[in-house]
Amino acid sequence: MRVFKNILLAITISVGLQTWAQQTPAPAQSEVLTIKGATAHIGDGSVIENSVIVFANGTITAIGNSSTTTQGRVIDASGKHIYPGFIAPASTLGLGEVDALRQTRDFDELGDFIPNIRSIIAYNAESKVVESLRPNGVLLAQVTPQGGKISGTSTVMQLDAWNWEDAAVKTDDAIHLNLPNSFKRGRWWLGEDRGWKPNDKYAKDLGEIKDYLAASKAYGKANSTIQNEGFKAMQGLFNGAKKLFIYAQGEREIIDGVTLAKEAGVKDVVLVGGYEAHKIIPFLKQHNIPVLVNRVHTEPRGDDDDYDLPYKLPKLLMDGGIMVGLNAKGQMERMNTRNLPFYAGHVVGQGMDKEDALRMITSNTAKILGIDGKYGSLMNGKSATFFISEGDALDMRTNILTHAFIDGREISLETHQTKLWKRYQGKYDGK
């Protein structure tokens, strides 16, 4: 009877999700378009006042000031601002819908070492969470599995598509490794002290990761006839086809993780989180490690930490010469991803230049993900993936989108949330 109820609940929620399915994806760009008069924030730190941007067949063909020749249909954006599409890295977007229902959570598979699990196959292009990000300017995301020691393989997606095949921008771009913590909190529900204490399994867990990396590399050199899908998926780490994203917070964990990866022959490493990364900036620079800082709207981890350390961490790293991007990891990560531009705006309040803050969610993240040849900045020859906002896109009070384009396609900014807003605004305005 309980099984029947669970099945019925899953069907009911599935029908509900279909009812609120996203807007029909936009068709391919069919005419030349020009946007003129806006302040263009290029994404590399520069700004063009009274700009002109021309794009055709999904690609920017001309960009400059008011002297640039307009072509095709012209959109007058005088007084507004243009930004490259924001990019959300290390995200479970499209892999989960209702956290309370296991059937809709597809971001964590069984097993500790499962690099062959590909997030792209589970991606739900019609997720109502995904559609809710576009009105804030988040147009691309690195869709990433979670759980275990090696979670699986991510793919970079654009957020307006019929299915995962259409959404894929860079397929199987990275493997994701979760480092164990050298300290752990006591399990209060078992009567243990709530404070931090050394993790007596840390060395063992680290050893297992080291052994798996070594075995994967040996598998690639052996040309074995025995098929191991996990080891096969790892080969891109050793030839540069994939990056290794290491999730670690503490100083010791970061050093151990990067050292372990480099000794194993991993070509490209990205640090995700890096709460204590500001303490070891020379080490990170030595190994050319970029950092994707977790969402800044959180509390300090340690009792002795500055109360504002989470807010100022990105600036500390950037001032130290580290390439920094932002992600929305934390509680309610998928929902909070819509706040990505406002996390960047908060860092501006900590003294970072506004255009530098913008780089953390555009060009820097594009470079870290390896898609900067096409996305992340407004430049001639790059994808026409950008949006027009009535005001400052890093300020939730003024980031009001009027137009958004992905690969030149003018996408809908309508969502289930805007429909509800209009519905109930009409209800109460009529009284």
Side-chain angles (χ1 to χ4, degrees), residues 89-92 99 146 247 249 272-273 293-299 327-337 343:
S91 173
T92 59
D99 282 342
Q146 291 185 344
Y247 295 69
Q249 302 289 354
V272 182
V293 178
N294 289 350
R295 66 185 181 95
V296 298
H297 290 176
T298 188
E299 68 281 354
N327 71 67
K329 291 196 70 62
Q331 291 184 341
M332 301 288 290
E333 170 257 315
R334 287 187 302 281
M335 298 298 183
N336 283 327
T337 302
Y343 299 153

Side-chain angles (χ1 to χ4, degrees), residues 145-215:
Q146 291 185 344
K149 293 182 174 69
I150 296 182
S151 306
T153 304
S154 58
T155 287
V156 182
M157 307 282 204
Q158 56 87 3
L159 303 184
D160 181 67
W162 283 109
N163 49 50
W164 59 263
E165 292 97 332
D166 295 342
V169 167
K170 186 176 183 182
T171 304
D172 300 333
D173 70 301
I175 300 287
H176 295 261
L177 168 63
N178 298 293
L179 258 290
N181 292 320
S182 59
F183 281 79
K184 63 180 181 180
R185 284 191 181 275
R187 297 170 295 180
W188 59 268
W189 59 92
L190 295 179
E192 298 177 356
D193 182 72
R194 292 175 179 263
W196 291 95
K197 61 181 181 179
N199 179 6
D200 52 10
K201 295 182 179 180
Y202 178 72
K204 175 180 177 292
D205 290 341
L206 208 62
E208 291 178 355
I209 294 171
K210 182 177 181 179
D211 291 344
Y212 193 86
L213 286 170

Side-chain angles (χ1 to χ4, degrees), residues 392-404:
D392 181 358
L394 305 189
D395 187 336
M396 66 175 64
R397 297 168 298 180
T398 58
N399 186 24
I400 303 172
L401 272 63
T402 60
H403 300 76

Side-chain angles (χ1 to χ4, degrees), residues 102-121:
R102 181 65 182 89
Q103 291 89 335
T104 71
R105 303 199 312 267
D106 213 2
F107 49 79
D108 185 1
E109 297 293 338
L110 296 175
D112 275 342
F113 294 92
I114 48 174
N116 52 301
I117 295 298
R118 304 170 68 219
S119 65
I120 184 174
I121 296 175

Side-chain angles (χ1 to χ4, degrees), residues 39-57:
T39 299
H41 302 263
I42 305 304
D44 63 356
S46 60
V47 175
I48 301 176
E49 301 288 348
N50 196 19
S51 67
V52 172
I53 299 178
V54 183
F55 56 106
N57 299 318

Side-chain angles (χ1 to χ4, degrees), residues 93 107 153 237 345 409:
L93 285 171
F107 49 79
T153 304
L237 297 178
R409 300 177 298 111

Side-chain angles (χ1 to χ4, degrees), residues 162-287:
W162 283 109
N163 49 50
W164 59 263
E165 292 97 332
D166 295 342
V169 167
K170 186 176 183 182
T171 304
D172 300 333
D173 70 301
I175 300 287
H176 295 261
L177 168 63
N178 298 293
L179 258 290
N181 292 320
S182 59
F183 281 79
K184 63 180 181 180
R185 284 191 181 275
R187 297 170 295 180
W188 59 268
W189 59 92
L190 295 179
E192 298 177 356
D193 182 72
R194 292 175 179 263
W196 291 95
K197 61 181 181 179
N199 179 6
D200 52 10
K201 295 182 179 180
Y202 178 72
K204 175 180 177 292
D205 290 341
L206 208 62
E208 291 178 355
I209 294 171
K210 182 177 181 179
D211 291 344
Y212 193 86
L213 286 170
S216 298
K217 189 173 184 180
Y219 176 87
K221 291 182 177 180
N223 295 318
S224 174
T225 57
I226 300 175
Q227 298 296 305
N228 185 303
E229 296 301 321
F231 290 163
K232 284 169 63 177
M234 295 285 284
Q235 298 313 303
L237 297 178
F238 308 115
N239 60 28
K242 296 179 182 178
K243 297 186 179 186
L244 180 64
F245 281 56
I246 297 179
Y247 295 69
Q249 302 289 354
E251 179 179 356
R252 177 182 178 183
E253 289 85 350
I254 296 169
I255 293 175
D256 286 347
V258 171
T259 301
L260 182 151
K262 289 299 182 179
E263 288 179 348
V266 176
K267 298 290 186 182
D268 296 306
V269 175
V270 175
L271 175 62
V272 182
Y275 181 79
E276 294 186 346
H278 62 290
K279 298 180 179 181
I280 50 172
I281 287 176
F283 173 81
L284 296 175
K285 292 179 69 174
Q286 175 189 347
H287 294 283

